[in-house]
């Protein structure tokens, strides 16, 4: 799934607090025992919100993505970085020799990939023996306001009879597969933070297809659900232009493939 359509607004709509990104990078560096010669590969590098801190620390960093426009955003940020290499590629057919990297990293990627098990095979192939595979995820905490609005939106879409895009390589499914392959995995909660948002802004982002969960929803369903959500949000929260506080978390898993 290409994110070309939202490349120009991606950073503004998926912003992570700078201190959370720094904690994530520091945890990955520590957990993988990264040193000056460590070679990183990020699958679905996008606009580089995770890549840039690694690049700025001087690591040899390769990013792949199927979205050229997303990577153009990153190239603009890192125009003078000689330690960054960007390649258009599909995760199920990585254009690298066996054992090319020490650490492979994904953030919000494998749930978009129907052939995610094949992608894992490719990731394992391009890692050196006993290399590290890192998954990272940031999301609203279950039960928080942000989570409640997302769940309600999905319920309205499904009640309309429209099919939502499946989540393929979910965190739990990938974790189970890694365990079956003999990996040892450590899980870390990197950060827990509160962020304010206005319900009206979130609903408008859904209506204008800012997030990938909306891309396969038919127009008539999307607009009908938007009206339902407005009514629901006014009943639930009152003034939909009033800011609400919602909790978010960032979690990381670090797995090591057996040699």
């Amino acid at each position: 799934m290409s994110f070309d359509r939202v490349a120009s607004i991606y950073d503004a709509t998926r912003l992570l607090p700078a201190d959370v990104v720094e904690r994530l990078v520091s945890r990955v560096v520590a957990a993988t025992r990264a040193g000056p010669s460590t070679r990183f590969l990020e699958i679905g590098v996008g606009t580089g919100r995770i890549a840039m801190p690694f690049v700025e620390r001087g690591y040899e960093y390769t990013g792949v993505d199927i979205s050229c426009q997303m990577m153009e955003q990153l190239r603009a940020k890192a125009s003078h970085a000689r330690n960054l290499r960007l390649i258009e590629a599909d995760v199920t057919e990585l254009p690298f020799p066996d054992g090319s990297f020490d650490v492979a990293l994904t953030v919000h990627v494998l749930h978009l990939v129907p052939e995610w098990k094949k992608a894992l095979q490719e990731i394992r192939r391009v890692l050196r023996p006993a290399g590290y595979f890192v998954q990272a995820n940031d999301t609203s905490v279950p039960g928080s306001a942000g989570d409640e609005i997302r769940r309600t939106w999905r319920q309205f879409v499904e009640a309309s009879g429209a099919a939502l895009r499946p989540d393929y390589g979910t965190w739990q499914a990938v974790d189970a597969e890694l365990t079956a392959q003999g990996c040892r995995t450590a899980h870390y909660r990197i950060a827990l933070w509160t962020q304010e948002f206005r319900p009206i802004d979130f609903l408008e982002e859904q209506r204008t297809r800012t997030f990938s969960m909306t891309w396969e929803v038919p127009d008539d369903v999307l607009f009908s659900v938007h009206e339902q959500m407005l009514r629901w949000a006014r009943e639930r929260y009152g003034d939909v232009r009033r800011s609400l506080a919602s909790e978010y978390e960032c979690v990381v898993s670090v797995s090591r493939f057996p040699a």
Side-chain angles (χ1 to χ4, degrees), residues 5-248:
R5 65 192 294 172
V6 294
S8 63
I9 62 170
Y10 188 87
D11 286 349
T13 55
R14 278 83 164 177
L15 185 65
L16 271 177
D19 64 317
V20 173
V21 177
E22 284 300 321
R23 289 187 208 176
L24 188 159
V25 172
S26 294
R27 171 52 63 188
V28 172
V29 167
T32 62
R33 300 170 184 167
S37 62
T38 298
R39 300 158 299 170
F40 284 90
L41 169 67
E42 184 177 348
I43 308 296
V45 67
T47 61
R49 64 175 185 162
I50 305 301
M52 282 305 298
F54 285 100
V55 172
E56 290 165 353
R57 293 188 186 199
Y59 292 107
E60 181 183 331
Y61 206 89
T62 299
V64 300
D65 207 298
I66 59 172
S67 171
C68 292
Q69 291 186 34
M70 291 282 279
M71 289 192 290
E72 282 304 312
Q73 299 287 323
L74 175 50
R75 286 191 179 96
K77 299 174 189 175
S79 58
H80 301 296
R82 296 183 178 180
N83 56 322
L84 174 65
R85 177 175 55 155
L86 297 176
I87 298 173
E88 182 184 359
D90 190 311
V91 65
T92 62
E93 296 182 13
L94 294 172
F96 309 112
D98 296 357
S100 295
F101 302 98
D102 302 296
V103 181
L105 172 70
T106 66
V107 182
H108 285 305
V109 172
L110 293 181
H111 71 285
L112 302 171
V113 181
E115 295 184 283
W116 62 271
K117 288 188 178 181
K118 184 178 179 182
L120 269 184
Q121 291 173 0
E122 275 292 273
I123 290 169
R124 183 171 184 175
R125 179 186 66 79
V126 301
L127 282 173
R128 66 171 172 78
Y132 292 94
F133 172 59
V134 178
Q135 287 192 96
N137 188 33
D138 62 278
T139 187
S140 50
V141 172
S144 65
D147 175 69
E148 180 181 46
I149 291 176
R150 285 181 175 84
R151 283 190 294 103
T152 302
W153 183 87
R154 294 178 70 94
Q155 290 168 5
F156 282 151
V157 171
E158 290 170 343
S160 75
L164 287 164
R165 184 206 69 229
D167 280 339
Y168 299 107
T170 64
W171 183 282
Q172 294 81 5
V174 173
D175 192 54
E177 178 63 21
L178 292 170
T179 299
Q181 292 189 26
C183 293
R184 289 188 175 184
T185 300
H187 299 277
Y188 306 95
R189 176 187 266 184
I190 300 300
L192 180 67
W193 71 98
T194 299
Q195 187 170 312
E196 291 195 346
F197 75 101
R198 301 191 311 169
I200 189 65
D201 294 332
F202 179 83
L203 298 183
E204 186 63 17
E205 288 171 341
Q206 298 299 77
R207 186 187 68 81
T208 56
R209 301 187 186 276
T210 297
F211 297 103
S212 63
M213 72 174 71
T214 66
W215 294 352
E216 297 179 12
V217 178
D219 286 346
D220 59 335
V221 172
L222 189 72
F223 297 136
S224 173
V225 167
H226 179 68
E227 294 302 317
Q228 292 179 66
M229 286 296 299
L230 280 172
R231 291 193 293 271
W232 172 84
R234 288 177 182 132
E235 292 176 2
R236 179 73 176 87
Y237 304 115
D239 184 0
V240 294
R241 298 182 182 277
R242 179 174 58 87
S243 292
L244 298 176
S246 188
E247 282 192 318
Y248 296 83

